[in-house]
Amino acid sequence: MSECTCRGEAGLRPGQKPGSLGVGAHPASRSWLLAPGAGHAAAATVPGGRACCLPAASFPLLPVPSSLWLPSPLPTPQLPFLLPSLQAPLNSFSLLQAMVFTKLLLWVVQQLILNVRVVSDELDEATRERMEHRAKQLSREMARLLQELEQKSQEQRSKEQSPVAWRALLFAALQHWQFWAIAGILLLLILGLYWCLRKRSHEEDSSSEEDRASNSSREEEEHEEQNAEDEVNEYANDLERHFEEDIQWTYQNLFTECQYVMEFVNAFTLAAKHVFLDSSVPELQPCFGIGSAHEGWHPHGENIIHQVLVPLAPPPGHTFLPELCDPGEMPEGNFRIRVELECTCMNEQVEGNMLCFLHHDEDELNWNQGPSLLHTVCTNSYLDVQKTVRRFRQLLKTCWSLLPHSNRWRLTMLPGTRSCKLKMEGEEQEFTIEIILGVQQGNSDIFMSSQANEGVFTPGTIWTTSCAVAEAKFFRLVTEQAPRGNFHLRCLQLCASTLVGTGFSSYTLKTVVMHLLNTTPLSGWCRTHFLLRLDDIMSYLWHCLEERRLNHFFFGNEKIPEEIVVPPALQRAEPVNLFQHLARDPDAQAEAMRELLDMQDRLVRMLNDGH
């Protein structure tokens, strides 16, 4: 390692004064040695405050002859000026010039170093160190410049050779068939993608056009449907308004007529009760209005027959005992009413001096109070329908002159064996009345009536089950709860008007409507849904024809309104099929369906005519 010779004044050469430059020290040499970029010595501070001249990096010192004197300092190399090509982009020729010039400069530096070593013996130690330091700095700088030039030349060669390399690679690839296969596949893929995109674009355009067209047509259809719906609603409103007015008029007229008929029949029963005090006829109770006229839906164009059911009660000293007929003998729901005598000796409620039929002989009874029911209206101790009707007709003829109605009306008795039919004719009106006799089953709304079974021979002692009073009560309850207008009655009335010339009975349609009224909310039986309810009636009847089954409304029906009293045995019974004859005869079913289609066409014509 070199040692610092700057040890104050002791470090001066022999005979050198402090502050002098010493041997070979040119006034400008110090500035050259300390010029920028020339590798300054470390500015170390020694005792005494003087700067040390020891360089930053120590290296072996060459012996410099003390007799060598450098007359002038070496000039500072200006590399940017000497190598202008490094400031601008390099091309091949300028790069070659820079490399040659740099190598020449490096050779000059090496020669200088050698020369320095030769003359180092003649220099003092400090100057020699500075020169060697400066030479090494120049050597390192030249090496750095050579490295930069080499990098620049490599980059330039790579730039110049890259297109050639790619062309060579491409030319080599073109010589193989795999390249052409891959290129073909890529081309097909590109063409397929292009075709798909074109097709999709075309489809989107066509779909957008179709959407616009469909939207336009949909708007037109909606507009047409709205117009049609408005026309239908207007037509339905006009039709329903007309029907509502017609219903109110028809219902009011029927109600007035029915009230008058009921007053007449009740007046007759009251007169018969006061006139005939014997026990030869059953006691007559206040009547019930039944049938289409009293229920409020009698069809237009048909003669109104006011049906009235007059309940029969056993006179004093008698009791009625209903007996259900054998199903093998008669259809289900038929009864025989056995009449038995009972003792009245201790009965204080017996009016007059009536004798007991059990404890007085027959001659005495016949002389004082007449015969019993067993001798007048019974057959083999069973109440006979035909005998009872004849007795009732005799009573009516006898009491007619006692009634106030006889002053305004002319009475005509019409033939009938199981009911009492009569006609009352006035100056402006006439009524046809059918009085049906019946015996109440307990305290219920079901009666054993004098009406005959349809299509079946009914003996005189057979009384059929009648739900007519319960049915009239059902319609009365519905009318009280239904919306204003009584459109349920109008629906039934219109449908019943189409039955002319068909095999359907009005009772069939009434049963269908009762089932619908019992299952459909009453709020739906209004003007708005009037046409829908008509369609419901026809659809329900068509379904029943397909199934060949229409259940009776009261038999086996557990959803009857609680206001209607039905015997428990009737409510628990098996449902009675009103279309049993269709189940046995497929031809009759086909004929019934054809008739129903005719009824629907007839109904449509009636609606159009009504509008």
Side-chain angles (χ1 to χ4, degrees), residues 397-567:
K397 289 180 180 180
T398 304
C399 296
W400 172 252
S401 59
L402 302 176
L403 300 176
H405 303 79
S406 61
N407 299 326
R408 297 177 52 192
W409 303 90
R410 185 175 67 254
L411 179 65
T412 301
M413 303 298 296
L414 300 178
T417 58
R418 297 188 70 91
S419 64
C420 182
K421 291 183 180 181
L422 54 94
K423 180 184 290 186
M424 295 176 59
E425 296 176 317
E427 295 180 358
E428 297 179 357
Q429 279 183 300
E430 66 177 30
F431 299 122
T432 301
I433 304 173
E434 182 181 10
I435 300 176
I436 300 171
L437 305 179
V439 177
Q440 188 176 13
Q441 294 187 20
N443 295 323
S444 69
D445 295 320
I446 307 301
F447 284 77
M448 296 169 286
S449 74
S450 62
Q451 288 179 305
N453 293 305
E454 293 184 5
V456 179
F457 171 74
T458 307
T461 56
I462 299 299
W463 296 73
T464 61
T465 300
S466 174
C467 301
V469 175
E471 292 165 0
K473 190 174 182 180
F474 175 81
F475 277 100
R476 201 160 50 245
L477 292 172
V478 172
T479 302
E480 293 174 357
Q481 301 175 9
R484 178 180 177 272
N486 299 327
F487 284 97
H488 63 289
L489 299 177
R490 181 53 174 167
C491 290
L492 180 54
Q493 185 182 48
L494 285 175
C495 293
S497 300
T498 64
L499 296 176
V500 179
T502 66
F504 292 99
S505 64
S506 60
Y507 190 77
T508 298
L509 277 178
K510 184 171 79 169
T511 304
V512 170
V513 173
M514 285 193 295
H515 279 295
L516 290 174
L517 287 173
N518 202 38
T519 55
T520 305
L522 295 180
S523 59
W525 296 83
C526 58
R527 174 189 297 178
T528 307
H529 302 137
F530 176 70
L531 298 179
L532 293 177
R533 298 291 83 82
L534 289 176
D535 183 68
D536 289 345
I537 294 173
M538 292 299 175
S539 299
Y540 191 95
L541 183 55
W542 181 267
H543 177 71
C544 292
L545 290 177
E546 288 182 333
E547 298 293 330
R548 303 178 185 179
R549 186 171 191 85
L550 174 61
N551 290 334
H552 193 281
F553 182 72
F554 289 99
F555 282 85
N557 187 0
E558 297 181 355
K559 297 181 179 180
I560 299 173
E562 59 182 8
E563 292 85 354
I564 300 175
V565 182
V566 179

Side-chain angles (χ1 to χ4, degrees), residues 339-354:
V339 178
E340 289 186 355
L341 299 176
E342 61 181 4
C343 180
T344 60
C345 295
M346 303 301 295
N347 191 355
E348 297 179 356
Q349 296 181 357
V350 176
E351 298 181 1
N353 297 321
M354 180 170 290

